[in-house]
Amino acid sequence: MSRGVVLGVLVTAGVLSVGAAAYQAPQPAAKVVEVEKLKDNLYMLKGGGGNTAVFVASTGVVVVDTKNPGWGQPLLDKIKSVTDKPVTMIINTHTHGDHVSGNVEFPTTVEVVTHENTAKNMEAMRPATGITPAPGAPVNIFKENGGRGMPKRTFKDKMTIGKGADQIELHYFGRGHTNGDAFVLFPAARVLHAADIFSGKNIPLLDANNGGSGVEIGKTLAKAADSVKNIDQIITGHSTVMTVADLKEYAAFNNEFAAAVQAAKKAGKTPDEVASTWKIPAKYTGYAEPAAPRLRANVQIVWDETK
């Protein structure tokens, strides 16, 4: 082989090796959990699914909701940045995968508590109404993990956990987002975690597949707002921290939506006509414009519930 050919081969090989070194396969996006301190011992952790509450009690940490599949460990890692106490309990507010899937990544010693209807829903893990599962998402993450992370303790109407500064109250006020939405109250902190029955100022996801109700959700929200006292802050399912005044407004918003659909049905209109003409009333400022499929689905759910 001539000297020129050898040099050419070496140069080409060098270019290829530099190119190979420079190329890196796309890396998965980092799982970033953000911390918002609400009180000295109460935090809201955002990212990776629904908003998580972390309550640092005297004997351990209580976690409310554990996010999407694969986010349990990042959540645990972030908890370690605010306390060295162990997680002793998970409270799941409802059955959806973006609130419960991280359960399977927590130690098996952690007690899981839910409303009794949510426990049944978690056994089935039915897809939420109107939601197409992401490709590769677990069909039933708990069955795929041998039942790990499933609730062993449930309540019907109210449960009190701990006492004094450590006290937590779980309340069930009726159907709404699902048929098992738990409101989690931290009395000493004056904070309520409402989760996805109050996900934010928007058209709610009404999950009829898991017992949700477009007729009852406004009534349930109003009952919660009237029943739970001495609250300064409300942790929403996917938005910012809000107030009891916001919760009362959201109850009225949902009641008015149901009434509008029911009136349209009585007047002989069709669900398509309602969905194509309904607008957010002007008095509800700051509400997100609904996606057309969500709006149409909610109209149909109220329609089907109205006889």
Side-chain angles (χ1 to χ4, degrees):
M1 184 180 293
S2 70
R3 184 170 181 271
V5 172
V6 171
L7 288 174
V9 170
L10 291 174
V11 170
T12 301
V15 170
L16 288 173
S17 64
V18 170
Y23 173 78
Q24 293 184 358
Q27 298 297 308
K31 292 182 169 69
V32 178
V33 178
E34 298 178 354
V35 177
E36 182 176 339
K37 184 176 180 179
L38 303 183
K39 302 290 181 179
D40 284 343
N41 65 334
L42 182 59
Y43 305 83
M44 181 172 76
L45 274 57
K46 302 175 287 185
N51 289 331
T52 297
V54 172
F55 181 63
V56 184
S58 58
T59 57
V61 177
V62 178
V63 176
V64 182
D65 288 345
T66 60
K67 306 189 181 297
N68 275 308
W71 283 80
Q73 190 58 53
L75 181 58
L76 280 165
D77 293 342
K78 186 58 68 171
I79 291 170
K80 290 177 183 176
S81 74
V82 299
T83 179
D84 57 4
K85 290 183 179 180
V87 175
T88 57
M89 179 179 290
I90 292 169
I91 298 169
N92 290 133
T93 59
H94 64 290
T95 188
H96 291 152
D98 60 330
H99 292 257
V100 304
S101 296
N103 288 20
V104 302
E105 299 174 54
F106 280 66
T108 56
T109 54
V110 175
E111 183 178 30
V112 180
V113 183
T114 70
H115 185 263
E116 59 186 18
N117 291 341
T118 293
K120 294 175 183 176
N121 291 339
M122 287 170 68
E123 290 178 3
M125 290 303 287
R126 291 176 292 271
T129 301
I131 300 296
T132 301
V139 175
N140 186 322
I141 195 167
F142 300 108
K143 287 184 178 179
E144 293 174 19
N145 284 271
R148 181 170 178 163
M150 282 290 291
K152 299 293 192 296
R153 187 176 176 190
T154 63
F155 75 102
K156 183 175 182 179
D157 298 313
K158 181 181 177 181
M159 175 186 283
T160 300
I161 299 167
K163 58 184 179 181
D166 288 346
Q167 184 170 316
I168 301 170
E169 295 178 10
L170 310 184
H171 295 267
Y172 179 71
F173 296 112
R175 295 166 63 207
H177 178 57
T178 68
N179 65 356
D181 301 306
F183 289 79
V184 184
L185 174 64
F186 304 96
R190 300 173 66 93
V191 174
L192 178 70
H193 195 328
D196 278 7
I197 195 168
F198 185 23
S199 64
K201 293 188 175 183
N202 51 36
I203 291 287
L205 170 64
L206 301 175
D207 183 7
N209 289 346
N210 287 288
S213 170
V215 171
E216 296 298 323
I217 186 171
K219 301 172 186 177
T220 298
L221 289 162
K223 186 176 180 181
D226 292 339
S227 300
V228 181
K229 307 298 183 182
N230 303 315
I231 298 302
D232 297 327
Q233 297 173 296
I234 298 176
I235 299 173
T236 58
H238 291 268
S239 186
T240 58
V241 172
M242 296 194 187
T243 66
V244 174
D246 294 320
L247 180 61
K248 289 181 177 180
E249 180 188 81
Y250 194 58
F253 172 78
N254 280 279
N255 279 329
E256 288 182 26
F257 177 82
V261 175
Q262 290 172 324
K265 182 174 184 178
K266 186 176 181 180
K269 294 183 179 180
T270 67
D272 285 336
E273 288 175 325
V274 178
S276 64
T277 58
W278 184 86
K279 302 294 181 186
I280 296 174
K283 63 182 176 181
Y284 294 110
T285 58
Y287 279 64
E289 285 296 325
R294 170 75 58 85
L295 176 57
R296 179 62 177 80
N298 285 13
V299 169
Q300 189 66 55
I301 288 169
V302 174
W303 196 276
D304 292 344
E305 289 184 79
T306 302
K307 307 303 181 185

